[in-house]
Amino acid sequence: MSIFVDDDTRVVVQGITGGEGNFHAEQMIQYGTNVVAGAVPGKGGQEAAGVPVYDTVDEAVEAEDADASVVFVPPAFAADAVFEALDTDLDLVVAITEGIPTQDMAKVNKRLGEVDTRLLGPNCPGIITPGEAKLGILPGNIFADGNVGLVSRSGTLTYQVVDNLTERGIGQTTAIGIGGDPIIGTSFIDALEAFEADAETEAVVMCGEIGGEDEEEAAAFIGEHMDTPVAGFIAGRTAPPGKRMGHAGAIVSGSGTGTAQSKIDALNDAGVPVGDTPEEVADHVESFL
Amino acid sequence: MKLHEYQAKSIFADAGIPVPDSRLATSVEEALDAVDEIGYPAAIKAQVHVGGRGKAGGIEIATDREEAEAYAERILGMDLKGYTVDQVLVEAGVDFVDELYVGVTMDRSEGKPVLMVSTEGGVDIEEVAAETPDAIAREHVDPAFGLHPYQARKVVYEAGVDADVALDVASILSTLYDLYEDSDASEIEVNPVMVTSDRDVVAADAVMNIDEDALFRQPDLAELAEASYEDDLERKAGEYGFDYVRLSGNVGIIGNGAGLVMTTLDLVDYYGGKPANFLDIGGGAKAERVTKALDMVFSDPNVDSVVFNIFGGITRGDEVAKGINEALAEFDEIPKPVVVRLAGTNAEEGMEILNTDLIEVEETLEAAVQRAVKNAEEVAQ
């Protein structure tokens, strides 16, 4: 079992003829993902990464029966690409693009409330169900099939924690990078809810970072609704207020909201142990299994 | 991207929002010419990208020429929270009876813009928000429809703004929302909006921040993106396109991906060291970027030791190793001890080519950080 993606997921890659889109389409295929088509305006009829390219997502879905898309479109056009995918009645849209204007994402967010499609990202590494499917840019070789779910705001931090788990022989059901932007489609809570409902997921790791209040809200959700044990990690304990730490969303505001301590406290209050190091996170997970 | 008060006010004035008469001055002479034209009292306000200028001594009210000269002399060239003041806004003093707060920003948790109004203006609004959250009225805007004018009126009435000026304040707020949308702002704030003894309303301060991700479609605003760096290293990082933040410690940190670099900082602190910087080389960095990053951290006089932590996804370990080797090629002896840890994509290939004569290598993040902290302690002694 897994959440959101598996063996049957049929993927269209938006922006498959671009450098990144092409490279990662090939990587996804190599991993065993069912990439069935590409969609690039003006490139219909061509082939890329060994799959047919269509001018619109609609055509691609129609012809190849796709149910998910991955967006590798440059920031200026990415919101439009996400709207196109949302309007095509897919189950899942994964937006990898970094640097989409926030006001564009607010409009996307509004549309999300009106459709049944799940959006993951933007500015995220994607999602992987080890051994079945990978939608995004995660390095497949560090993951292993197993019983731990992982949800994280950051890409490389996900890799670090997964590596600590895999090294100990602890595999993953599904790992999800939800993205570091202020406005994102899938929240911690959405992922946690799905992991809680997944019979094979026996423990969950949640990696958060400074900025916003998503981790606090997730902590409240865990306290009220989850029986599956959760271990946490929060990046940015040493970040000074008012300085954006890379991610647009990773900033401690002047009034003291969004601090690592408030997130750690909230998680601890919900019974979630928070590791001081990634290695300690793996210790906690091991103790759950 | 932050705009200066004078830049924001000029945008406000063009949009029809009433602002006090003002001139920009870069010397004491210019400041005095400006007060001669404007009259007294006149505010002399440092134009730097920091909040809390008043408390830090960057804003003064002059009641005569002698005071104006003394204040201009003191403020021009002063150090304000790390920034040197090289321009002041000289502005007509406003005879006010009331101070309000109005602002537009993005509410992250709702994914919608929000209007905010409070009758407790003129003070730190974040303190008001923390202590008496009910003193701020809020109204969310549907980003697909945009602002309905009634919403601006509603939130102004809800905040308890005096009835005789409420519609004028609502009109300012409504214009601010248009500016927020049209200019891809992340935040616009006027604190205070002053109510004069004649019952007029004036935007006495202006904060306007633009979403950097939207600058590609805001060419006029992009031109205002002057370097507002705190020092030469931040300027250099900006030119290289690195995400860089200067900190106060002595362990230099280079890594890929915001979350992992933050984690590396946290671990340095956890193992008893003090981070000197946050430096994210980004995803997919080639050798040249790696070389630049290392050069930057070497050139920071505060750095005593360096930890270089890469977990390759789209970044390849062999490219990173190549870049490290190139950076080291110009040295016979390493200027500062460097600990490298490579993991993920092509990490093994990277380890094979890495010039380990000059650097130390660790397999895990924890070990690399501990060693760099120890190195820093030894160098500092």
Side-chain angles (χ1 to χ4, degrees), chain A residues 102 110 160 236 238 243 249, chain B residues 108 142 211 217 230 266 341:
Chain A
T102 307
K110 158 81 177 176
Q160 173 66 49
T238 49
K243 293 281 190 185
Chain B
R108 280 173 71 153
D142 183 322
D211 179 0
R217 61 186 180 202
E230 282 182 44
D266 294 348
R341 180 259 184 160

Side-chain angles (χ1 to χ4, degrees), chain B residues 212 225-246 278-280 289 292-293 296:
Chain B
E212 284 171 33
E226 69 187 76
S228 69
Y229 305 117
E230 282 182 44
D231 58 37
D232 287 346
L233 279 170
E234 292 202 351
R235 183 183 310 272
K236 216 169 174 180
E239 283 163 16
Y240 290 162
F242 291 136
D243 275 319
Y244 177 86
V245 179
R246 183 89 177 260
F278 169 101
L279 199 172
D280 178 5
R289 270 178 88 70
K292 281 178 177 164
M296 252 195 69

Side-chain angles (χ1 to χ4, degrees), chain A residues 7-24:
Chain A
D7 264 343
D8 298 325
T9 307
R10 294 173 65 81
V11 182
V12 49
V13 176
Q14 294 176 257
I16 197 169
T17 53
E20 282 209 20
N22 195 256
F23 175 76
H24 289 291

Side-chain angles (χ1 to χ4, degrees), chain B residues 54-72:
Chain B
K55 269 188 198 159
I59 298 178
E60 297 283 3
I61 309 284
T63 52
D64 57 36
R65 206 169 195 273
E66 204 179 320
E67 271 184 15
E69 183 167 13
Y71 290 144

Side-chain angles (χ1 to χ4, degrees), chain B residues 40-80:
Chain B
Y40 301 94
I44 298 183
K45 306 165 98 176
Q47 298 297 293
V48 282
H49 291 304
V50 294
R53 288 171 301 163
K55 269 188 198 159
I59 298 178
E60 297 283 3
I61 309 284
T63 52
D64 57 36
R65 206 169 195 273
E66 204 179 320
E67 271 184 15
E69 183 167 13
Y71 290 144
E73 264 175 8
R74 188 178 63 73
I75 294 174
L76 277 164
M78 81 181 283
D79 179 275
L80 206 69

